[in-house]
Amino acid sequence: MATDLNNKIEFQAYRPFGPTIFKGSLPDSIIKLLDSKADELFNDEKLSKEWDHSMHLAGNVKQEVRYPPTFLDSSEFQPCLQALKIIVEKYISHPPASDTIQPKDVDRMVLQSMWVVSQWAGDFNPSHIHDGDLSGVIYLRIPPSLKEEYAKEDHHPCVGDIQWECGQAATFNGHAFQATPEVGSIYLFPAWLSHMVYPFRTPNEERRSVSFNLNLVKKIVSK
């Protein structure tokens, strides 16, 4: 009887509320480029001080340094910029994002800022939001011991994870999304979406990521 009933009942799931979080992956060449440029910044005392971005951010993190405009405007960076454009176009091509803006409505994408986050044992990022229209995070390095440390947390494993929150906790309603970082992964989401990063405990290992904010400039429609 139950089997017959299952075959007769039809349903379709809808997602009428809430923002979308897009997950993708970037080529190794782009990850290596961002990582090597981060090394240049961290290893140069003058550059790391000049482009220190920590005072503008919410994180309790050892080092957060902004990529200089000279890098973002260079020909070397163009493949990364092109990859971001492709990912953004895919993001706004699907609902619910496409219900508010579509690729045909966008004149250009402007990368507002991009910075590298070097996180070590005990560092964390409290719940916060960003500037701009869309924000993203790209993972460059993951602590080798993170999986083992994660497995030891038997109540609510979250070590080193990123978490987004929207709305309220309630029956039948999901208000949080948690993800474990992987090298090469990129996440794209609305800049206003609250998110946080949990700490890890293993010493002498680095969790390195790149965050960015961007704006979408709409086409001017002549009347």
Side-chain angles (χ1 to χ4, degrees), residues 34-35 37-39 41-42 53 57 63-67 114-118 140 206 208-211:
L34 292 170
D35 196 44
K37 291 296 182 182
D39 277 338
L41 290 170
F42 291 147
H53 203 46
L57 304 172
Q63 202 166 25
E64 296 176 297
V65 181
R66 185 172 178 174
Y67 287 111
M114 175 177 273
W115 63 99
V116 59
V117 180
S118 179
L140 307 182
E206 183 186 15
R208 183 180 290 187
S209 60
V210 170
S211 294

Side-chain angles (χ1 to χ4, degrees), residues 42-60:
F42 291 147
N43 295 331
D44 188 313
E45 186 176 354
K46 181 180 177 182
L47 284 176
S48 61
K49 285 185 178 180
E50 181 180 0
W51 297 104
D52 176 51
H53 203 46
S54 58
M55 296 302 293
H56 303 279
L57 304 172
N60 288 273

Side-chain angles (χ1 to χ4, degrees), residues 4 76 85 95 107 130 199 212:
D4 292 340
E76 190 178 20
K85 288 180 179 178
D107 180 56
H130 286 192
F212 60 88

